[in-house]
Every structure is written in structure tokens, then in C-alpha cells.
Amino acid sequence: MNSVIDVEDRYCAHNYHPLPVVLTRGEGVYVWDDSGNKYLDMMSAYSAVSHGHAHPRLVNVVKHQAAKLNIVSRAYYSDQLGPFLKRVCEVTGQDMALPMNTGAEAVETAIKAARKWAYDVKGVEDNKAEIIACTGNFHGRTIAIVAMSDEPQYQRGFGPYPAGFKLAKYGDVDDLEAQITANTAAFLVEPIQGEGGIVMPPAGYLKACKAVCEKHNVLFIADEIQTGLGRTGKLLACEHENVVPDGLILGKALGGGILPVSMFLAKREIMELFTPGDHGSTFGGNPLAAAVGLEAINILVDEDLASRSASFGNYLVEQLRAIDNPIIGEVRGIGLFVGIEINPAIASAREIVESLMVKGILSKETHETVVRLAPPLIITREQIDWAITQIKDVLISHHKTRLAS
Ligand SMILES: *Cc1c(COP(=O)(O)O)cnc(C)c1O
């Protein structure tokens, strides 16, 4: 037994089921364990490490800013926050931003903004505002957010839940329109469902939903915490359908794989509804986070990580689809955001993920049947080729084992 694992298991709540590997160092697309074994990180901390581990430009910014000024709270202005938010607004086509730390906080911020807009602008009667989310969604783990979930495990044991949330069938614009009432404030959607298993809606879905929202005076809010910042081959996944959302939620890669940095962005007329004292966060928008976030955006643009994601993602999907083995049900993905559906009659996704680890690849199962591959966007073609060879070996050997048993 590894004593480090024992200590973590003893003192850390068991709200995750980690793979039995103890990581001690990371650089670029690689991480190393406590025995010096090297792994290709094809999970990137659920897409938070799109820039790769310890990107030299980000490490430099951390060193410089950490020695200068870190936390001041929003009781004061800082020289770092304005330039960061200006840059994110420019690249996303939004007008204003409200900085937070984790993704869930930014989603909560979006919910508050939508409700306030419903009461102050749309004229919905007090406490009647509704938010429509999608079946199969994942927006985080707070009480209000799990109230929107239809995954029994996310909810069981945590009620009672706040009211005012409804579900529309993901991928079905007619169902969205059917759910809308005079009290609907917003439609909250992931352009691709990441935790749901890399689930892609039909082409044209986002654009059609945006049109329905406009028709009924409902805000269209995109949760791009996982799909944003180059992951799907565009800076934002909404760009695949030329949709500019009324509200946009970013997180994960916004912190450059170094810090938790998130934000809610919106059109000016929505964001201006927040007045001093309405909402806040002690750490949100702190100078260190702002400096890291600005550099993270600059690197995305300078290194053209979205284009890399598009071309290498296509290549990865093609290579995976070319593997001719009944263990693969389906390969889904766009950009470096890929899910392999594993035939449950042959193996569980967890078994595949554990075998990949032994081969030097870190990935993660999502639900029982999907292996998720979302490497840092700096990955090279040679590294993908190496990964394909390992993945092929693992899938074929599981299939053989199954045939022999
Ligand atoms: C990860 C994720 C969140 C929650 O972010 P946290 O930083 O874990 O709170 C919300 N929405 C989506 C789409 C996510 O992938």
C-alpha cells in the first residue's frame, strides 16, 4: 500500500474516486508520479490545463505578480483587473464581466443576473422567475445548481432545493420552446455536454435556441466553462454556429491551469443591474488571478491554441474511428474534446482508464461507459500518435481477454 494514498484516503472526504497514482510534478503535456513514472495527461484536470502544466509564461507571471501584489479584495481597484476583463470581453464579444473563482460560483452569478433581469427588466412578478436548463446538464455542485440536475446521484440526500428551475430536452429546440412561459428568465445550456459524456447536440441547435430565446424575450446563457477557450477548436464553442450569447460563463482554462479563475460575462444592460452589495466574492478578481488570467488569454491567442485544437482534434477522432474493434461503440468529439463510448459487454470505461494508466496515459471515465480524452491544447501530433498506439493496445487486449473468458 502506498502510504501517501492511505493518508489522503484517511483525511480527505471520499467525494472522488481517484486513480491509484500519486502525482508530484507536471510540465507541458506530461505529469510524473512519486516513483518517477511519466504519464501523458489526456484529461487536463477536466480541461482546466489547456495550456499544459507549468507553462513558462504563466509561471513567470505568477512569480512576478506574487512578489508584488496578490489579494486586496474588491474594496479597492487594482492595476490588474481592468486590463484582464477588457481583454476577455474583447475576445468573447461581451460588454462586461463579473469575476469569480470557481465555475460553480460563476454559474450562480449567471442565475442571479438572469433572475434580476427578469424582475427589473422583463417585469416578471416577484419570486416567479424560471430558468430552463437541459436534461443531462452539469453546471457544478452548489445546492441551486444541483437543483437543476436530473442526475439522481447529484441530488440524493441534499434537498430541499430552491424552486424556479425547469428542464428542456437537450438537443430539442421544440421542447425548449414548449417549456418557455411568461416567467422564463433564461435558458442555460452547455454547447457540448462534457460531464454528460461529450454529448453533442444536432448541428444548428444553438442557433435555433438563440432564435427561440429572442422571440420570447428570454436570455440565452452559455456555460462554456469546459467548452470555452479553444477546447472545441474555436475560442468559444458557440462560434461554431455564430451565436453570441446574452450571457457567457467561463472558468477552468481561464486560470491557465494554475489558479481557479472564473467569470460571468454579459451584455451591458444585464450586467449593469448589479449594484454595490448585490453580489460578491472576497477572492474574485484578485490581482494574482487577474494577471494569470490575462496571460492565459494572451497565450491562447499567441499560440493559436484553438486552431491546434481543431486540427489535432480532427486527427485524434479520425485515428480513433479507424480502430476496428467491437469494444468501441462510438467516438464523439470536436476539437480536443473527445469521448469514446466503450461497449459495456466487453469492459467498463473505468477498466479501460486503469489500463491506460498502466500504459502511461491519464484519462478519466465519465458515467460508466465513456472514456474522456481532453489533453492540453499544446499536444503535438507525435504525442497523439504515441497515445493512439497505446489506446489501440489497451482496447485490443481488453477485447481479447473478454473473448478468452
Ligand atoms: C466543471 C464545470 C462546472 C463547474 O466548475 P467548478 O470549477 O468545478 O465549480 C460548471 N459547468 C461546466 C460545464 C463544467 O464543466
Side-chain angles (χ1 to χ4, degrees):
M1 254 300 190
N2 185 313
S3 70
V4 176
I5 290 183
D6 289 343
V7 175
E8 186 168 315
D9 276 346
R10 162 127 203 201
Y11 290 100
C12 186
H14 296 173
N15 56 330
Y16 279 84
H17 179 28
L19 291 170
V21 59
V22 179
L23 302 176
T24 58
R25 190 164 78 81
E27 192 184 317
V29 296
Y30 295 111
V31 287
W32 284 263
D33 71 12
D34 54 353
S35 308
N37 299 309
K38 177 174 156 182
Y39 302 87
L40 178 62
D41 182 358
M42 294 197 79
M43 215 277 274
S44 314
Y46 303 95
S47 304
V49 188
S50 289
H51 300 74
H53 295 273
H55 193 293
R57 280 177 58 180
L58 288 165
V59 171
N60 269 337
V61 165
V62 170
K63 282 186 184 159
H64 177 76
Q65 188 63 39
K68 212 173 143 218
L69 185 68
N70 296 290
I71 311 287
V72 292
S73 84
R74 296 272 314 283
Y76 314 101
Y77 289 88
S78 85
D79 62 347
Q80 299 298 312
L81 185 56
F84 171 43
L85 301 186
K86 175 172 187 274
R87 184 83 166 118
V88 185
C89 284
E90 281 167 2
V91 299
T92 59
Q94 296 292 331
D95 295 333
M96 293 177 82
L98 198 161
M100 299 296 277
N101 313 281
T102 66
E105 291 170 307
V107 172
E108 290 271 349
T109 303
I111 293 170
K112 286 172 102 172
R115 286 180 168 185
K116 203 156 205 296
W117 174 85
Y119 301 127
D120 294 0
V121 178
K122 185 167 174 173
V124 172
E125 192 188 322
D126 256 9
N127 295 321
K128 290 277 198 293
E130 294 167 351
I131 310 259
I132 301 175
C134 290
T135 55
N137 74 71
F138 180 85
H139 297 290
R141 300 292 199 162
T142 64
I143 293 287
I145 293 171
V146 296
M148 295 188 285
S149 177
D150 62 349
E151 170 67 47
Q153 201 203 345
Y154 296 169
Q155 288 197 337
R156 200 189 52 243
F158 303 123
Y161 296 103
F165 300 109
K166 291 167 76 169
L167 291 175
K169 191 164 177 290
Y170 189 58
D172 183 345
V173 66
D174 295 333
D175 194 40
L176 168 63
E177 188 155 27
Q179 300 298 331
I180 290 174
T181 71
N183 291 333
T184 306
F187 172 54
L188 174 62
V189 64
E190 299 158 87
I192 293 163
Q193 292 184 332
E195 297 317 294
I198 321 289
V199 179
M200 301 173 61
Y205 174 64
L206 297 176
K207 198 162 191 76
C209 289
K210 177 74 170 77
V212 162
C213 286
E214 268 170 34
K215 178 173 149 199
H216 295 280
N217 195 23
V218 167
L219 301 179
F220 178 99
I221 300 179
D223 179 349
E224 294 235 27
I225 289 172
Q226 194 156 170
T227 54
L229 304 180
R231 177 52 61 188
T232 72
K234 300 262 188 200
L235 191 82
L236 299 176
C238 282
E239 290 172 19
H240 288 290
E241 296 189 2
N242 294 316
V243 168
V244 179
D246 303 306
L248 170 68
I249 311 166
L250 296 177
K252 294 204 165 109
L254 191 57
I258 296 200
L259 288 172
V261 184
S262 71
M263 64 178 61
F264 172 63
L265 298 109
K267 306 280 168 60
R268 183 165 298 277
E269 57 271 25
I270 300 166
M271 199 65 86
E272 275 185 346
L273 298 171
F274 282 116
T275 60
D278 279 351
H279 190 47
S281 160
T282 304
F283 292 101
N286 68 74
L288 182 62
V292 166
L294 176 58
E295 191 69 351
I297 295 287
N298 287 338
I299 291 168
L300 274 172
V301 173
D302 294 347
E303 298 188 4
D304 204 3
L305 293 183
S307 303
R308 287 186 71 98
S309 177
S311 54
F312 292 147
N314 273 341
Y315 180 67
L316 176 61
V317 168
E318 267 170 29
Q319 297 296 305
L320 290 170
R321 285 191 179 142
I323 299 175
D324 181 22
N325 190 292
I327 194 167
I328 298 189
E330 187 190 12
V331 178
R332 294 189 289 268
I334 181 165
L336 287 165
F337 197 43
V338 177
I340 310 174
E341 192 79 49
I342 302 295
N343 180 346
I346 301 179
S348 70
R350 178 74 183 196
E351 288 169 321
I352 300 299
V353 162
E354 286 177 358
S355 300
L356 285 171
M357 186 186 83
V358 174
K359 289 271 191 186
I361 292 182
L362 294 185
S363 60
K364 188 75 174 89
E365 78 276 12
T366 163
H367 297 277
E368 264 83 63
T369 57
V370 181
V371 174
R372 174 209 324 243
L373 299 177
L377 306 183
I378 58 165
I379 195 168
T380 65
R381 186 164 172 136
E382 292 68 34
Q383 289 161 341
I384 291 177
D385 284 333
W386 178 84
I388 294 288
T389 308
Q390 312 310 311
I391 293 167
K392 220 187 260 179
D393 279 3
V394 163
L395 294 175
I396 289 170
S397 77
H398 271 272
H399 184 223
K400 281 195 186 136
T401 313
R402 176 75 200 159
L403 287 179
S405 68

